[in-house]
Amino acid sequence: MDYKITVIPGDGIGPEIIRETRKVLDALGARYGHNFSYTEVLMGGVSIDAHGVPLTDEALSTAKDSDAVLLGAVGGNVGTSNWYSLPPNLRPEAGLLKIRKGLNLFANIRPAVLFEELKGACPLKDEIIGDGFDFVVMRELTGGLYFGDRWTKEVDGLRTAKDTLLYNEEEIVRIARQAFEIARKRRKKVCSVDKANVLDSSRLWRQVTEEVAKDYPDVELSHMLVDNCAMQIVRDPSQFDVILTENMFGDILSDEASMVTGSIGMLASASLGKTKLGLYEPSHGSAPDIAGQNKANPIATILSSAMMLRYSFDLDMEANVLESAIKEVLKKGYRTIDIMSPGKTLVGTDKMGDLIVAEI
Ligand code: NAD
């Protein structure tokens, strides 16, 4: 099969980690008879330098016309780069907002996987880690408190501020469906997280999620209050498969979930909409402090490409092969500097890519 991928290397370490990811995808394509064709577009600081804006309309329409978008990272050193003297809508990160909006992406998925070989980086105790854990947080991206009406004004002589948390049933249905679909490709469990003991929006969330669940009898649905969920992630993370939640709860829980896995260089992410076209990128930024030094860990981006294979292309077997190849390289003791520990073999960005290709 042929797959059209829009590739956005971006700034900082972006080009290095994307180069390694393409190398790995090509190796998988050659082995399993798929043709991945890439169209590179500019976004972030490099686009500002070339075109004066962080993402051109042409670049966005290239992305819209593809089967998936693979992104490195955008942004520079916030303290020293000229990009940050521009108005906010022209800064590198504005490109991210524009592409997410332009592609109608409303669900963000961040996996929290503890790799056996990197247990040392996990801040949890051994008895809690047990045999490890592997869950994803699916966060609603375009509604809720961050997008509701808000104001700050003086009321009865007191400075007062108000934010609004609003969801309609359509917004809940579409993300709930995504969560159940993703669960079907995993261990078939969805835990919907809300604050239904207090919030009306949460009570609607719970009700609508129950209704959607009727179409997925093979997937087990449970509900959990957000405060309890925050505790359970550090008490017994292995109980979770897919955590489904609204924007602000997801913002907080997904950061907590990434923290319990250890290294930032290992954290993948995907943003999905109603169609198969998704945006795949590492959770980390452009790491300007190590850019161009062959030090960046490419694994977060390579793991994001495994999500692309699974969710945009339905190539589940190939995604599994890729994830196993990464585990094998780690098992053999190879590490980039961010995950290095005594007794292991330190390798650079390019060598890590080569080692994963060799396992494939
Ligand atoms: P960062 O994630 O880029 O870096 C934080 C620290 O982690 C740095 O020490 C860096 O060297 C290290 N690090 C990050 N990724 C790594 C990897 N793959 N391998 C090894 N080490 C890695 O966060 P920051 O320094 O706060 O931000 C730098 C720039 O990235 C800023 O301009 C910021 O706005 C931007 N940013 C972009 C995105 C994105 O493109 N989605 C996300 C976050 C931050």
Side-chain angles (χ1 to χ4, degrees), residues 56-73:
T56 62
D57 291 342
E58 294 74 39
L60 178 60
S61 75
T62 302
K64 281 183 180 167
D65 192 33
S66 55
D67 297 316
V69 180
L70 185 63
L71 166 66

Side-chain angles (χ1 to χ4, degrees), residues 11 13 17 43 71-78 83-84 92-93 96 100 263-266 281-291 295-301 336-339 349:
D11 306 312
I13 59 170
I17 54 183
M43 189 167 97
L71 166 66
V74 297
N77 186 318
V78 180
W83 297 328
Y84 296 93
E93 290 74 11
L96 284 171
R100 285 186 187 135
S263 166
I264 188 154
M266 302 290 297
E281 59 179 320
S283 297
H284 60 72
S286 60
D289 53 332
I290 56 165
K295 283 184 181 166
N297 185 350
I299 295 179
T301 318
T336 44
I337 193 146
D338 57 311
I339 50 173
T349 312

Side-chain angles (χ1 to χ4, degrees), residues 7-9 13-22 24-25 69-73 264-269 280-285 296-308 322 326 349 356:
V7 174
I8 308 179
I13 59 170
E16 300 163 65
I17 54 183
I18 285 289
R19 182 192 64 217
E20 298 312 309
T21 306
R22 282 180 59 164
V24 168
L25 284 171
V69 180
L70 185 63
L71 166 66
I264 188 154
M266 302 290 297
L267 296 170
S269 99
Y280 301 87
E281 59 179 320
S283 297
H284 60 72
N297 185 350
I299 295 179
T301 318
I302 297 173
L303 285 170
S304 305
S305 78
M307 294 173 83
M308 173 178 80
L322 179 45
I326 292 170
T349 312
I356 296 168

